[in-house]
Amino acid sequence: MAFSEGINRLQRIIEFLSVDYRSKKEIMAYLRTFNIIISYKTLERDLKQIKEELGFDLEYKRNVGYKCENESIVEAISFNIETIDYKVGFENDIFKIINVFEYQNTTYCNCWDKRSKRIFLISRVE
């Protein structure tokens, strides 16, 4: 059980650091939103593991924080969103559907990406 919790924690840290520079305080606050409470020492060990054992290019800027730059992040967090039954206002931990429209016989959804704070467009899977 503890092993899978550790993997989940590392995935969350990598996701969070792939968007922008984050301080340790911001990382720990982000983890708390998922009921993951760790010490600063554990966070330091996790950051070291992400860099040395998992091979991510972890960049650190003093007074700014940490950021993960690695092309494999895109593959690690890519997913298939099936939206056939989703309506405007549907939301989960990753995105929120803000509108649905049809164009040239295809249904599309504009979604708010909660991580990057950007809007993306997906076509509806039917």
Side-chain angles (χ1 to χ4, degrees):
M1 183 78 158
F3 179 75
S4 63
E5 290 172 4
I7 295 294
N8 181 39
R9 187 176 68 237
L10 292 175
Q11 287 175 325
R12 300 241 186 237
I13 293 170
I14 291 167
E15 282 177 6
F16 193 58
L17 296 179
S18 68
V19 177
D20 200 4
Y21 286 93
R22 311 292 185 167
S23 68
K24 288 181 184 176
K25 188 175 181 179
E26 290 173 314
I27 297 167
M28 291 183 74
Y30 175 74
L31 292 174
R32 279 193 297 275
T33 64
F34 299 99
N35 292 324
I36 301 172
I37 301 168
I38 59 173
S39 67
Y40 277 104
K41 192 68 175 170
T42 299
L43 178 58
E44 289 171 2
R45 282 192 296 268
D46 286 350
L47 292 170
K48 183 177 180 182
Q49 185 176 15
I50 289 168
K51 183 175 184 171
E52 294 178 2
E53 294 177 26
L54 299 178
F56 285 92
D57 184 15
L58 190 62
E59 188 178 335
Y60 174 75
K61 286 187 179 178
R62 188 179 174 140
N63 298 324
V64 179
Y66 296 86
K67 183 172 181 172
C68 243
E69 291 287 343
N70 195 317
E71 291 180 19
S72 64
I73 290 173
V74 174
E75 293 175 23
I77 63 173
S78 64
F79 55 91
N80 183 18
I81 301 172
E82 294 188 20
T83 60
I84 192 163
D85 295 324
Y86 293 169
K87 307 288 183 219
V88 172
F90 170 85
E91 82 182 275
N92 60 23
D93 292 340
I94 301 168
F95 67 93
K96 178 178 182 176
I97 296 180
I98 55 176
N99 74 348
V100 178
F101 62 95
E102 194 167 316
Y103 178 73
Q104 294 183 349
N105 298 323
T106 302
T107 304
Y108 296 92
C109 299
N110 280 320
C111 299
W112 175 255
D113 183 344
K114 293 181 178 181
R115 284 185 236 139
S116 67
K117 307 280 192 250
R118 296 184 178 170
I119 295 175
F120 64 94
L121 176 71
I122 56 175
S123 61
R124 211 173 238 195
V125 176
E126 305 214 16

